[in-house]
């Protein structure tokens, strides 16, 4: 089975840091465009970041300079390092594959179950 | 920045056709994608590249995209289709999602 499993969420104070992980099975993170997408309570999804097959990355303006996406090919795991966290970063964070690496045009066709990040004092 | 706009809610009777729209500047020049999300669950892709259905998605789900509007149509709506639906498109290298439409099957 193809599966993505996120971990690392929790309650963190404003200004703090947190590292999210996404363990993949049935697919290689290094061979796909892997994304982080977040969803604040009662809101629509918001794209956060992508890491491309060759290793470069792109970020939403709202997180650029504070968040860093990376991957560990040996553990087939995606990470999101989050610093200087703000109250409005509170959300469920999903890792998701998009189809651009395999000939598609960018559908998010595989999602994890999400991990909850709450930024509050 | 690019924006996609959806009506907050749509209601439909069982067996009838539900239409959910998504508006964006020249959206018809981009591919539109649609996701279904039920409470407490992750989003599921139901339409990609405007009108294609992933494996396992029922034929009653269809899509179109022209001008400034993409439309998700659910024919013969069933109670199990009650969910939030989100449209999505790419603006350069940024994925943009709509705010979502809550579909109620009365």
């Amino acid at each position: 089975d193809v599966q993505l499993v996120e971990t690392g969420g929790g309650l963190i104070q404003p200004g703090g840091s947190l590292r999210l992980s996404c363990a993949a099975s049935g697919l290689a993170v290094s061979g796909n465009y892997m994304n982080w997408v977040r969803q604040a309570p009662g809101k629509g999804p918001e794209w956060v970041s992508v890491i491309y097959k060759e290793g470069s990355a792109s970020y939403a303006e709202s997180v650029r300079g504070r968040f860093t996406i990376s991957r560990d090919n040996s553990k087939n795991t995606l990470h999101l390092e989050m610093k200087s966290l703000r109250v409005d970063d509170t959300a469920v964070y999903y890792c998701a594959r998009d189809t651009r690496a395999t000939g598609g045009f960018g559908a998010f066709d595989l999602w994890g179950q999400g991990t909850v990040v709450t930024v509050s004092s | 920045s690019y924006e996609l706009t959806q009506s907050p809610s749509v209601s439909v009777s069982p067996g009838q056709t539900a239409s959910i729209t998504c508006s964006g500047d020249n959206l018809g020049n981009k591919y539109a994608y649609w996701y279904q999300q039920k409470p407490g669950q992750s989003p599921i892709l139901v339409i990609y590249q405007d009108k294609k259905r992933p494996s396992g998605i029922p034929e009653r789900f269809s899509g179109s995209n022209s001008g400034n509007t993409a439309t998700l149509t659910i024919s013969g709506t069933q109670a199990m289709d009650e969910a939030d639906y989100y449209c999505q498109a790419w603006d350069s290298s940024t994925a943009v999602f709509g705010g979502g439409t809550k579909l109620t099957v009365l």
Side-chain angles (χ1 to χ4, degrees):
Chain A
D1 260 7
V2 182
Q3 195 176 11
L4 301 171
V5 178
E6 301 95 333
T7 55
L11 175 62
I12 188 78
Q13 291 190 338
S17 299
L18 206 57
R19 188 193 198 207
L20 306 183
S21 298
C22 171
S25 55
L27 77 156
V29 295
S30 62
N32 285 276
Y33 289 9
M34 298 301 298
N35 299 259
W36 288 97
V37 178
R38 68 185 181 183
Q39 188 171 26
K43 303 293 186 182
E46 178 192 14
W47 177 79
V48 172
S49 180
V50 62
I51 186 166
Y52 301 106
K53 281 201 307 187
E54 71 273 16
S56 63
S58 183
Y59 298 91
E61 193 172 335
S62 59
V63 307
R64 194 173 296 132
R66 300 188 299 123
F67 290 11
T68 302
I69 192 171
S70 64
R71 68 190 183 207
D72 183 336
N73 294 341
S74 67
K75 295 183 179 179
N76 206 26
T77 299
L78 180 72
H79 298 290
L80 185 68
E81 190 79 40
M82 304 186 294
K83 299 181 178 180
S84 303
L85 282 161
R86 310 188 300 221
V87 171
D88 62 358
D89 293 317
T90 294
V92 177
Y93 284 73
Y94 297 98
C95 64
R97 175 183 68 182
D98 84 64
T99 58
R100 288 175 292 171
T102 51
F105 292 91
F108 293 101
D109 67 338
L110 180 65
W111 298 67
Q113 87 288 350
T115 188
V116 178
V117 173
T118 304
V119 185
S120 175
S121 55
Chain B
S1 60
Y2 194 76
E3 293 184 359
L4 294 173
T5 301
Q6 298 181 240
S7 298
S9 62
V10 168
S11 297
V12 65
S13 299
Q16 299 304 302
T17 297
S19 294
I20 298 171
T21 60
C22 173
S23 298
D25 190 37
N26 289 318
L27 179 57
N29 291 336
K30 307 176 187 295
Y31 280 128
Y33 304 87
W34 290 93
Y35 303 87
Q36 176 193 72
Q37 187 178 34
K38 296 182 179 179
Q41 298 184 15
S42 305
I44 295 172
L45 179 70
V46 295
I47 293 290
Y48 67 100
Q49 288 174 230
D50 296 338
K51 57 186 179 182
K52 298 181 179 181
R53 279 180 294 104
S55 171
I57 300 302
E59 289 184 10
R60 63 180 181 274
F61 288 85
S62 63
S64 63
N65 185 17
S66 179
N68 294 321
T69 304
T71 302
L72 172 69
T73 302
I74 309 172
S75 304
T77 306
Q78 300 183 9
M80 68 173 65
D81 300 329
E82 186 164 289
D84 294 325
Y85 290 86
Y86 298 96
C87 60
Q88 177 248 318
W90 287 91
D91 180 47
S92 186
S93 59
T94 299
V96 179
F97 289 87
T101 297
K102 181 176 181 59
L103 176 67
T104 300
V105 182
L106 301 165

